[in-house]
Amino acid sequence: MISHVLSDSFGRILRDLRVSVTDRCNFRCVYCLPETDQAADFYRSKFDAVKNPTPIKIPLPPSKPRSQILTFEEIERVVKIGVELGIEKIRLTGGEPLLRQNIEVLVGKISQIPSVKDLAMTSNGFLFHRKAQALKDAGLTRMSFSLDSLDADNFKKMTGRDGFNEVIRSIRLAKSLGMDPVKVNAVVIRGLNEHELGDLVRFAISEGVQMRFIEFMPLDSNRGWLRDLVVSGKEMLTRLKTEFELEPVSGSLPSETAKRWRVNGTSAEIGIIAPVTEPFCGHCNRLRLTADGKIRTCLFSLIEHDLKGMMRRGADDEQLRTRLREIAWLKEARHHIGEAEFKQPERTMSCIGG
Ligand code: SAM
Ligand code: SF4
């Protein structure tokens, strides 16, 4: 394996590193960290419907102690080495990345690394207003916000928190600061927000943001995912086409996870991300670094590769480069959702870094 880029055994070159900066979160999304009675009731009603005895509520995953979380210097070091090996895109995520103290300092460090072509963050938006200007000044150019509902009650049902107004305010603030594009992600769940697809598109048109609709994946902490709760990308598109004239956007990169459409008569663009029903594994070019310093080669990996231990034991950059190349080589061919052998990873989306 002689290569100066991060390539895997299936010929994919890895260019995209998602960095989770914390495993903590201030929201309790029904598809990620469900905790509220409303979330439990929702799952209970679905499980009763399929007579499935799976438990409805299990304790939330414990957060790692601070000493186990990578420092900014350690994250910067991994990013620099990744970039030397061909990584071009960095996305900061979590957990909720804005819970990490002084996150703008990390943004500043990463934005100064030559060859980082794209630096973005995914956030639930609740705390964005506190840091927006500092993040922008530090070099953050793109934001993605999660917003699953435009109805404040349904928003609370889906996120477990009262935060609708704050999130809307954050989206507007990011736009007003000139972040471009501002993306808005909605996980679409049968019986919860499938009826809001059209409203979310109208919102995107009026606010000048890009909407992304995402299929529900089995990465929730209570293991309540059911195939019946997934609204497929195909169904989302069919529903949207009853309300809007959509034109496919050409020129997407093969590694893009979203299939994109322009809403006719507007400048708005929407995307549908369908990892469950239309997997894009063959073109996946991502690696993930967890907050506690593990590399994951797939969202659904059952094993993780420790870099933190190596760094703290004194590994030099060449050793880290070699290890990162070895890890990349092990990237799985694809996920196995829907197959008999599928096993949900132990860690949830909030710990892996979505
Ligand atoms: N807390 C931030 C947020 O929610 O934007 C960043 C982390 S969150 C894990 C990143 C993305 O993962 C969000 O867009 C969220 O909607 C998505 N996500 C979380 N759990 C998911 C699931 N089970 N299926 C599909 N997407 C999920
Ligand atoms: Fe928190 Fe994001 Fe998970 Fe919601 S999706 S619980 S905001 S990490």
Side-chain angles (χ1 to χ4, degrees), residues 25 29 31-32 92-97 122-125 144-146 148 185-187 214-220 225 349-350 353-354:
C25 192
C29 298
Y31 46 79
C32 183
L92 301 178
T93 179
E96 174 44 42
T122 305
S123 161
N124 63 31
S144 295
F145 294 102
S146 295
D148 305 309
N185 297 332
V187 179
I214 308 174
E215 287 180 349
F216 179 22
M217 291 182 274
L219 288 168
D220 52 311
W225 182 89
M349 191 67 137
S350 61

PDB file of all heavy atoms in Angstrom, residues 25 29 31-32 92-97 122-125 144-146 148 185-187 214-220 225 349-350 353-354, ligand 1:
ATOM      1  N   CYS A  25     -24.872  17.085  24.080  1.00  0.00           N
ATOM      2  CA  CYS A  25     -25.861  17.853  23.312  1.00  0.00           C
ATOM      3  C   CYS A  25     -26.892  18.475  24.234  1.00  0.00           C
ATOM      4  O   CYS A  25     -27.207  17.924  25.285  1.00  0.00           O
ATOM      5  CB  CYS A  25     -26.552  16.970  22.273  1.00  0.00           C
ATOM      6  SG  CYS A  25     -27.495  17.993  21.117  1.00  0.00           S
ATOM      7  N   CYS A  29     -33.134  14.953  20.326  1.00  0.00           N
ATOM      8  CA  CYS A  29     -33.912  14.648  19.124  1.00  0.00           C
ATOM      9  C   CYS A  29     -34.399  13.202  19.149  1.00  0.00           C
ATOM     10  O   CYS A  29     -33.678  12.292  19.542  1.00  0.00           O
ATOM     11  CB  CYS A  29     -33.081  14.917  17.875  1.00  0.00           C
ATOM     12  SG  CYS A  29     -32.625  16.653  17.745  1.00  0.00           S
ATOM     13  N   TYR A  31     -34.795  11.104  16.942  1.00  0.00           N
ATOM     14  CA  TYR A  31     -34.083  10.160  16.082  1.00  0.00           C
ATOM     15  C   TYR A  31     -32.620   9.982  16.494  1.00  0.00           C
ATOM     16  O   TYR A  31     -31.868   9.272  15.837  1.00  0.00           O
ATOM     17  CB  TYR A  31     -34.148  10.631  14.617  1.00  0.00           C
ATOM     18  CG  TYR A  31     -33.853  12.106  14.450  1.00  0.00           C
ATOM     19  CD1 TYR A  31     -32.555  12.575  14.465  1.00  0.00           C
ATOM     20  CD2 TYR A  31     -34.876  13.035  14.292  1.00  0.00           C
ATOM     21  CE1 TYR A  31     -32.271  13.928  14.334  1.00  0.00           C
ATOM     22  CE2 TYR A  31     -34.616  14.389  14.155  1.00  0.00           C
ATOM     23  CZ  TYR A  31     -33.318  14.824  14.185  1.00  0.00           C
ATOM     24  OH  TYR A  31     -33.039  16.160  14.062  1.00  0.00           O
ATOM     25  N   CYS A  32     -32.215  10.665  17.567  1.00  0.00           N
ATOM     26  CA  CYS A  32     -30.790  10.642  17.927  1.00  0.00           C
ATOM     27  C   CYS A  32     -30.620  10.312  19.411  1.00  0.00           C
ATOM     28  O   CYS A  32     -30.049   9.275  19.753  1.00  0.00           O
ATOM     29  CB  CYS A  32     -30.185  12.005  17.577  1.00  0.00           C
ATOM     30  SG  CYS A  32     -28.424  12.144  17.864  1.00  0.00           S
ATOM     31  N   LEU A  92     -17.140  20.472  11.154  1.00  0.00           N
ATOM     32  CA  LEU A  92     -17.171  20.345  12.607  1.00  0.00           C
ATOM     33  C   LEU A  92     -18.591  20.001  13.038  1.00  0.00           C
ATOM     34  O   LEU A  92     -19.548  20.629  12.591  1.00  0.00           O
ATOM     35  CB  LEU A  92     -16.722  21.655  13.268  1.00  0.00           C
ATOM     36  CG  LEU A  92     -15.318  22.114  12.883  1.00  0.00           C
ATOM     37  CD1 LEU A  92     -15.000  23.445  13.543  1.00  0.00           C
ATOM     38  CD2 LEU A  92     -14.271  21.072  13.278  1.00  0.00           C
ATOM     39  N   THR A  93     -18.691  18.994  13.893  1.00  0.00           N
ATOM     40  CA  THR A  93     -20.011  18.536  14.272  1.00  0.00           C
ATOM     41  C   THR A  93     -19.959  17.993  15.690  1.00  0.00           C
ATOM     42  O   THR A  93     -19.035  18.271  16.447  1.00  0.00           O
ATOM     43  CB  THR A  93     -20.520  17.516  13.210  1.00  0.00           C
ATOM     44  OG1 THR A  93     -21.806  17.051  13.594  1.00  0.00           O
ATOM     45  CG2 THR A  93     -19.606  16.332  13.018  1.00  0.00           C
ATOM     46  N   GLY A  94     -20.972  17.231  16.077  1.00  0.00           N
ATOM     47  CA  GLY A  94     -20.992  16.689  17.431  1.00  0.00           C
ATOM     48  C   GLY A  94     -21.977  15.533  17.482  1.00  0.00           C
ATOM     49  O   GLY A  94     -22.264  14.923  16.449  1.00  0.00           O
ATOM     50  N   GLY A  95     -22.608  15.351  18.609  1.00  0.00           N
ATOM     51  CA  GLY A  95     -23.004  16.272  19.650  1.00  0.00           C
ATOM     52  C   GLY A  95     -23.300  17.679  19.100  1.00  0.00           C
ATOM     53  O   GLY A  95     -23.440  17.861  17.912  1.00  0.00           O
ATOM     54  N   GLU A  96     -23.418  18.586  20.016  1.00  0.00           N
ATOM     55  CA  GLU A  96     -23.672  19.954  19.571  1.00  0.00           C
ATOM     56  C   GLU A  96     -22.363  20.742  19.630  1.00  0.00           C
ATOM     57  O   GLU A  96     -21.873  21.040  20.724  1.00  0.00           O
ATOM     58  CB  GLU A  96     -24.776  20.585  20.439  1.00  0.00           C
ATOM     59  CG  GLU A  96     -25.025  22.057  20.158  1.00  0.00           C
ATOM     60  CD  GLU A  96     -25.086  22.405  18.660  1.00  0.00           C
ATOM     61  OE1 GLU A  96     -25.684  21.672  17.866  1.00  0.00           O
ATOM     62  OE2 GLU A  96     -24.490  23.436  18.278  1.00  0.00           O
ATOM     63  N   PRO A  97     -21.782  21.057  18.463  1.00  0.00           N
ATOM     64  CA  PRO A  97     -20.450  21.661  18.453  1.00  0.00           C
ATOM     65  C   PRO A  97     -20.371  22.997  19.185  1.00  0.00           C
ATOM     66  O   PRO A  97     -19.318  23.364  19.697  1.00  0.00           O
ATOM     67  CB  PRO A  97     -20.139  21.829  16.962  1.00  0.00           C
ATOM     68  CG  PRO A  97     -21.436  21.730  16.263  1.00  0.00           C
ATOM     69  CD  PRO A  97     -22.313  20.851  17.096  1.00  0.00           C
ATOM     70  N   THR A 122     -21.996  21.778  11.392  1.00  0.00           N
ATOM     71  CA  THR A 122     -23.398  21.387  11.526  1.00  0.00           C
ATOM     72  C   THR A 122     -23.810  21.601  12.966  1.00  0.00           C
ATOM     73  O   THR A 122     -23.129  21.129  13.885  1.00  0.00           O
ATOM     74  CB  THR A 122     -23.602  19.890  11.165  1.00  0.00           C
ATOM     75  OG1 THR A 122     -23.101  19.652   9.864  1.00  0.00           O
ATOM     76  CG2 THR A 122     -25.067  19.516  11.200  1.00  0.00           C
ATOM     77  N   SER A 123     -24.919  22.302  13.166  1.00  0.00           N
ATOM     78  CA  SER A 123     -25.336  22.651  14.527  1.00  0.00           C
ATOM     79  C   SER A 123     -26.859  22.626  14.627  1.00  0.00           C
ATOM     80  O   SER A 123     -27.553  22.822  13.630  1.00  0.00           O
ATOM     81  CB  SER A 123     -24.839  24.067  14.845  1.00  0.00           C
ATOM     82  OG  SER A 123     -25.546  24.620  15.926  1.00  0.00           O
ATOM     83  N   ASN A 124     -27.340  22.426  15.846  1.00  0.00           N
ATOM     84  CA  ASN A 124     -28.796  22.534  16.028  1.00  0.00           C
ATOM     85  C   ASN A 124     -29.224  24.007  16.095  1.00  0.00           C
ATOM     86  O   ASN A 124     -30.415  24.300  16.126  1.00  0.00           O
ATOM     87  CB  ASN A 124     -29.273  21.745  17.252  1.00  0.00           C
ATOM     88  CG  ASN A 124     -28.714  22.261  18.575  1.00  0.00           C
ATOM     89  OD1 ASN A 124     -28.458  23.451  18.737  1.00  0.00           O
ATOM     90  ND2 ASN A 124     -28.537  21.355  19.522  1.00  0.00           N
ATOM     91  N   GLY A 125     -28.273  24.910  16.166  1.00  0.00           N
ATOM     92  CA  GLY A 125     -28.579  26.338  16.034  1.00  0.00           C
ATOM     93  C   GLY A 125     -28.946  27.053  17.320  1.00  0.00           C
ATOM     94  O   GLY A 125     -28.987  28.281  17.343  1.00  0.00           O
ATOM     95  N   SER A 144     -24.569  24.467   8.458  1.00  0.00           N
ATOM     96  CA  SER A 144     -25.786  23.674   8.265  1.00  0.00           C
ATOM     97  C   SER A 144     -26.506  23.636   9.596  1.00  0.00           C
ATOM     98  O   SER A 144     -25.876  23.380  10.637  1.00  0.00           O
ATOM     99  CB  SER A 144     -25.449  22.232   7.866  1.00  0.00           C
ATOM    100  OG  SER A 144     -24.822  22.202   6.620  1.00  0.00           O
ATOM    101  N   PHE A 145     -27.796  23.907   9.559  1.00  0.00           N
ATOM    102  CA  PHE A 145     -28.599  23.850  10.778  1.00  0.00           C
ATOM    103  C   PHE A 145     -29.593  22.699  10.666  1.00  0.00           C
ATOM    104  O   PHE A 145     -30.060  22.391   9.566  1.00  0.00           O
ATOM    105  CB  PHE A 145     -29.388  25.146  10.970  1.00  0.00           C
ATOM    106  CG  PHE A 145     -28.511  26.339  11.219  1.00  0.00           C
ATOM    107  CD1 PHE A 145     -28.237  27.244  10.208  1.00  0.00           C
ATOM    108  CD2 PHE A 145     -27.953  26.554  12.474  1.00  0.00           C
ATOM    109  CE1 PHE A 145     -27.426  28.347  10.426  1.00  0.00           C
ATOM    110  CE2 PHE A 145     -27.136  27.660  12.704  1.00  0.00           C
ATOM    111  CZ  PHE A 145     -26.874  28.553  11.678  1.00  0.00           C
ATOM    112  N   SER A 146     -29.927  22.132  11.811  1.00  0.00           N
ATOM    113  CA  SER A 146     -30.974  21.114  11.807  1.00  0.00           C
ATOM    114  C   SER A 146     -32.285  21.780  12.165  1.00  0.00           C
ATOM    115  O   SER A 146     -32.374  22.514  13.148  1.00  0.00           O
ATOM    116  CB  SER A 146     -30.641  20.023  12.837  1.00  0.00           C
ATOM    117  OG  SER A 146     -29.468  19.359  12.422  1.00  0.00           O
ATOM    118  N   ASP A 148     -36.306  20.366  11.879  1.00  0.00           N
ATOM    119  CA  ASP A 148     -37.170  19.286  11.401  1.00  0.00           C
ATOM    120  C   ASP A 148     -38.617  19.708  11.243  1.00  0.00           C
ATOM    121  O   ASP A 148     -39.406  18.985  10.641  1.00  0.00           O
ATOM    122  CB  ASP A 148     -37.124  18.100  12.383  1.00  0.00           C
ATOM    123  CG  ASP A 148     -35.710  17.624  12.632  1.00  0.00           C
ATOM    124  OD1 ASP A 148     -34.999  17.373  11.647  1.00  0.00           O
ATOM    125  OD2 ASP A 148     -35.309  17.529  13.812  1.00  0.00           O
ATOM    126  N   ASN A 185     -31.070  21.073   7.511  1.00  0.00           N
ATOM    127  CA  ASN A 185     -31.312  19.631   7.442  1.00  0.00           C
ATOM    128  C   ASN A 185     -32.572  19.251   8.209  1.00  0.00           C
ATOM    129  O   ASN A 185     -32.754  19.688   9.343  1.00  0.00           O
ATOM    130  CB  ASN A 185     -30.167  18.854   8.129  1.00  0.00           C
ATOM    131  CG  ASN A 185     -28.835  19.046   7.448  1.00  0.00           C
ATOM    132  OD1 ASN A 185     -28.770  19.298   6.249  1.00  0.00           O
ATOM    133  ND2 ASN A 185     -27.762  18.919   8.206  1.00  0.00           N
ATOM    134  N   ALA A 186     -33.393  18.422   7.591  1.00  0.00           N
ATOM    135  CA  ALA A 186     -34.543  17.861   8.315  1.00  0.00           C
ATOM    136  C   ALA A 186     -34.504  16.345   8.171  1.00  0.00           C
ATOM    137  O   ALA A 186     -34.400  15.830   7.048  1.00  0.00           O
ATOM    138  CB  ALA A 186     -35.843  18.399   7.739  1.00  0.00           C
ATOM    139  N   VAL A 187     -34.557  15.647   9.288  1.00  0.00           N
ATOM    140  CA  VAL A 187     -34.711  14.192   9.228  1.00  0.00           C
ATOM    141  C   VAL A 187     -36.219  13.942   9.146  1.00  0.00           C
ATOM    142  O   VAL A 187     -36.982  14.453   9.972  1.00  0.00           O
ATOM    143  CB  VAL A 187     -34.116  13.521  10.490  1.00  0.00           C
ATOM    144  CG1 VAL A 187     -34.310  12.012  10.434  1.00  0.00           C
ATOM    145  CG2 VAL A 187     -32.630  13.861  10.623  1.00  0.00           C
ATOM    146  N   ILE A 214     -33.456  14.270   4.959  1.00  0.00           N
ATOM    147  CA  ILE A 214     -32.605  13.102   5.247  1.00  0.00           C
ATOM    148  C   ILE A 214     -33.462  11.930   5.715  1.00  0.00           C
ATOM    149  O   ILE A 214     -34.368  12.107   6.551  1.00  0.00           O
ATOM    150  CB  ILE A 214     -31.587  13.445   6.374  1.00  0.00           C
ATOM    151  CG1 ILE A 214     -30.817  14.722   6.040  1.00  0.00           C
ATOM    152  CG2 ILE A 214     -30.637  12.295   6.634  1.00  0.00           C
ATOM    153  CD1 ILE A 214     -29.904  15.220   7.162  1.00  0.00           C
ATOM    154  N   GLU A 215     -33.161  10.746   5.198  1.00  0.00           N
ATOM    155  CA  GLU A 215     -33.847   9.553   5.699  1.00  0.00           C
ATOM    156  C   GLU A 215     -33.366   9.219   7.114  1.00  0.00           C
ATOM    157  O   GLU A 215     -32.179   9.394   7.434  1.00  0.00           O
ATOM    158  CB  GLU A 215     -33.540   8.348   4.794  1.00  0.00           C
ATOM    159  CG  GLU A 215     -34.235   8.393   3.455  1.00  0.00           C
ATOM    160  CD  GLU A 215     -33.922   7.178   2.581  1.00  0.00           C
ATOM    161  OE1 GLU A 215     -33.010   6.398   2.932  1.00  0.00           O
ATOM    162  OE2 GLU A 215     -34.564   7.015   1.542  1.00  0.00           O
ATOM    163  N   PHE A 216     -34.281   8.727   7.897  1.00  0.00           N
ATOM    164  CA  PHE A 216     -33.993   8.312   9.279  1.00  0.00           C
ATOM    165  C   PHE A 216     -33.118   7.054   9.237  1.00  0.00           C
ATOM    166  O   PHE A 216     -33.477   6.046   8.641  1.00  0.00           O
ATOM    167  CB  PHE A 216     -35.348   8.032   9.959  1.00  0.00           C
ATOM    168  CG  PHE A 216     -35.288   7.575  11.398  1.00  0.00           C
ATOM    169  CD1 PHE A 216     -34.185   7.827  12.211  1.00  0.00           C
ATOM    170  CD2 PHE A 216     -36.373   6.898  11.940  1.00  0.00           C
ATOM    171  CE1 PHE A 216     -34.166   7.412  13.543  1.00  0.00           C
ATOM    172  CE2 PHE A 216     -36.371   6.476  13.269  1.00  0.00           C
ATOM    173  CZ  PHE A 216     -35.260   6.730  14.065  1.00  0.00           C
ATOM    174  N   MET A 217     -31.974   7.129   9.909  1.00  0.00           N
ATOM    175  CA  MET A 217     -31.035   5.999   9.924  1.00  0.00           C
ATOM    176  C   MET A 217     -31.008   5.341  11.311  1.00  0.00           C
ATOM    177  O   MET A 217     -31.251   6.012  12.325  1.00  0.00           O
ATOM    178  CB  MET A 217     -29.620   6.489   9.601  1.00  0.00           C
ATOM    179  CG  MET A 217     -29.441   6.956   8.193  1.00  0.00           C
ATOM    180  SD  MET A 217     -27.731   7.465   7.894  1.00  0.00           S
ATOM    181  CE  MET A 217     -27.758   9.153   8.428  1.00  0.00           C
ATOM    182  N   PRO A 218     -30.672   4.075  11.374  1.00  0.00           N
ATOM    183  CA  PRO A 218     -30.632   3.374  12.661  1.00  0.00           C
ATOM    184  C   PRO A 218     -29.386   3.741  13.471  1.00  0.00           C
ATOM    185  O   PRO A 218     -28.429   2.964  13.566  1.00  0.00           O
ATOM    186  CB  PRO A 218     -30.636   1.889  12.256  1.00  0.00           C
ATOM    187  CG  PRO A 218     -30.160   1.850  10.855  1.00  0.00           C
ATOM    188  CD  PRO A 218     -30.460   3.167  10.220  1.00  0.00           C
ATOM    189  N   LEU A 219     -29.410   4.934  14.029  1.00  0.00           N
ATOM    190  CA  LEU A 219     -28.271   5.407  14.831  1.00  0.00           C
ATOM    191  C   LEU A 219     -28.762   6.104  16.094  1.00  0.00           C
ATOM    192  O   LEU A 219     -28.051   6.901  16.702  1.00  0.00           O
ATOM    193  CB  LEU A 219     -27.432   6.385  13.993  1.00  0.00           C
ATOM    194  CG  LEU A 219     -26.623   5.762  12.862  1.00  0.00           C
ATOM    195  CD1 LEU A 219     -26.066   6.831  11.921  1.00  0.00           C
ATOM    196  CD2 LEU A 219     -25.479   4.912  13.406  1.00  0.00           C
ATOM    197  N   ASP A 220     -29.993   5.816  16.487  1.00  0.00           N
ATOM    198  CA  ASP A 220     -30.609   6.455  17.655  1.00  0.00           C
ATOM    199  C   ASP A 220     -30.224   5.713  18.934  1.00  0.00           C
ATOM    200  O   ASP A 220     -29.984   4.506  18.917  1.00  0.00           O
ATOM    201  CB  ASP A 220     -32.131   6.461  17.495  1.00  0.00           C
ATOM    202  CG  ASP A 220     -32.662   5.063  17.177  1.00  0.00           C
ATOM    203  OD1 ASP A 220     -32.113   4.420  16.265  1.00  0.00           O
ATOM    204  OD2 ASP A 220     -33.587   4.598  17.870  1.00  0.00           O
ATOM    205  N   TRP A 225     -35.297   2.564  15.991  1.00  0.00           N
ATOM    206  CA  TRP A 225     -35.467   2.696  14.540  1.00  0.00           C
ATOM    207  C   TRP A 225     -36.257   1.522  13.990  1.00  0.00           C
ATOM    208  O   TRP A 225     -36.014   0.374  14.354  1.00  0.00           O
ATOM    209  CB  TRP A 225     -34.089   2.734  13.876  1.00  0.00           C
ATOM    210  CG  TRP A 225     -34.116   2.912  12.378  1.00  0.00           C
ATOM    211  CD1 TRP A 225     -34.112   4.084  11.704  1.00  0.00           C
ATOM    212  CD2 TRP A 225     -34.119   1.873  11.377  1.00  0.00           C
ATOM    213  NE1 TRP A 225     -34.116   3.857  10.343  1.00  0.00           N
ATOM    214  CE2 TRP A 225     -34.123   2.504  10.109  1.00  0.00           C
ATOM    215  CE3 TRP A 225     -34.140   0.475  11.414  1.00  0.00           C
ATOM    216  CZ2 TRP A 225     -34.130   1.798   8.917  1.00  0.00           C
ATOM    217  CZ3 TRP A 225     -34.154  -0.231  10.216  1.00  0.00           C
ATOM    218  CH2 TRP A 225     -34.151   0.429   8.978  1.00  0.00           C
ATOM    219  N   MET A 349     -25.512   8.501  16.781  1.00  0.00           N
ATOM    220  CA  MET A 349     -25.124   9.595  15.894  1.00  0.00           C
ATOM    221  C   MET A 349     -24.489  10.746  16.696  1.00  0.00           C
ATOM    222  O   MET A 349     -23.539  11.378  16.237  1.00  0.00           O
ATOM    223  CB  MET A 349     -26.371  10.084  15.169  1.00  0.00           C
ATOM    224  CG  MET A 349     -26.110  11.023  14.054  1.00  0.00           C
ATOM    225  SD  MET A 349     -25.243  10.231  12.707  1.00  0.00           S
ATOM    226  CE  MET A 349     -26.119  10.865  11.318  1.00  0.00           C
ATOM    227  N   SER A 350     -25.004  11.007  17.879  1.00  0.00           N
ATOM    228  CA  SER A 350     -24.490  12.141  18.667  1.00  0.00           C
ATOM    229  C   SER A 350     -23.040  11.915  19.089  1.00  0.00           C
ATOM    230  O   SER A 350     -22.303  12.866  19.332  1.00  0.00           O
ATOM    231  CB  SER A 350     -25.347  12.345  19.914  1.00  0.00           C
ATOM    232  OG  SER A 350     -25.288  11.184  20.718  1.00  0.00           O
ATOM    233  N   GLY A 353     -20.773  11.685  15.382  1.00  0.00           N
ATOM    234  CA  GLY A 353     -20.588  12.943  14.642  1.00  0.00           C
ATOM    235  C   GLY A 353     -21.233  12.815  13.280  1.00  0.00           C
ATOM    236  O   GLY A 353     -20.696  12.185  12.378  1.00  0.00           O
ATOM    237  N   GLY A 354     -22.422  13.415  13.169  1.00  0.00           N
ATOM    238  CA  GLY A 354     -23.200  13.237  11.932  1.00  0.00           C
ATOM    239  C   GLY A 354     -22.724  14.149  10.832  1.00  0.00           C
ATOM    240  O   GLY A 354     -21.878  15.004  11.034  1.00  0.00           O
TER     241      GLY A 354
HETATM  242  N1  SAM B   1     -26.146  18.626  16.893  1.00  0.00           N
HETATM  243  C1  SAM B   1     -25.907  19.038  15.565  1.00  0.00           C
HETATM  244  C2  SAM B   1     -27.156  18.994  14.731  1.00  0.00           C
HETATM  245  O1  SAM B   1     -28.122  18.352  15.121  1.00  0.00           O
HETATM  246  O2  SAM B   1     -27.148  19.604  13.654  1.00  0.00           O
HETATM  247  C3  SAM B   1     -24.789  18.267  14.881  1.00  0.00           C
HETATM  248  C4  SAM B   1     -24.727  16.794  15.148  1.00  0.00           C
HETATM  249  S1  SAM B   1     -26.078  15.867  14.477  1.00  0.00           S
HETATM  250  C5  SAM B   1     -25.637  14.248  14.978  1.00  0.00           C
HETATM  251  C6  SAM B   1     -25.692  15.944  12.752  1.00  0.00           C
HETATM  252  C7  SAM B   1     -26.811  15.582  11.813  1.00  0.00           C
HETATM  253  O3  SAM B   1     -27.177  14.240  12.017  1.00  0.00           O
HETATM  254  C8  SAM B   1     -28.074  16.403  12.002  1.00  0.00           C
HETATM  255  O4  SAM B   1     -28.438  16.993  10.774  1.00  0.00           O
HETATM  256  C9  SAM B   1     -29.103  15.391  12.419  1.00  0.00           C
HETATM  257  O5  SAM B   1     -30.360  15.724  11.940  1.00  0.00           O
HETATM  258  C10 SAM B   1     -28.559  14.117  11.812  1.00  0.00           C
HETATM  259  N2  SAM B   1     -29.033  12.901  12.474  1.00  0.00           N
HETATM  260  C11 SAM B   1     -28.946  12.583  13.783  1.00  0.00           C
HETATM  261  N3  SAM B   1     -29.475  11.374  14.019  1.00  0.00           N
HETATM  262  C12 SAM B   1     -29.909  10.909  12.826  1.00  0.00           C
HETATM  263  C13 SAM B   1     -30.553   9.702  12.412  1.00  0.00           C
HETATM  264  N4  SAM B   1     -30.848   8.735  13.265  1.00  0.00           N
HETATM  265  N5  SAM B   1     -30.847   9.551  11.092  1.00  0.00           N
HETATM  266  C14 SAM B   1     -30.546  10.537  10.202  1.00  0.00           C
HETATM  267  N6  SAM B   1     -29.923  11.679  10.533  1.00  0.00           N
HETATM  268  C15 SAM B   1     -29.623  11.872  11.832  1.00  0.00           C
END
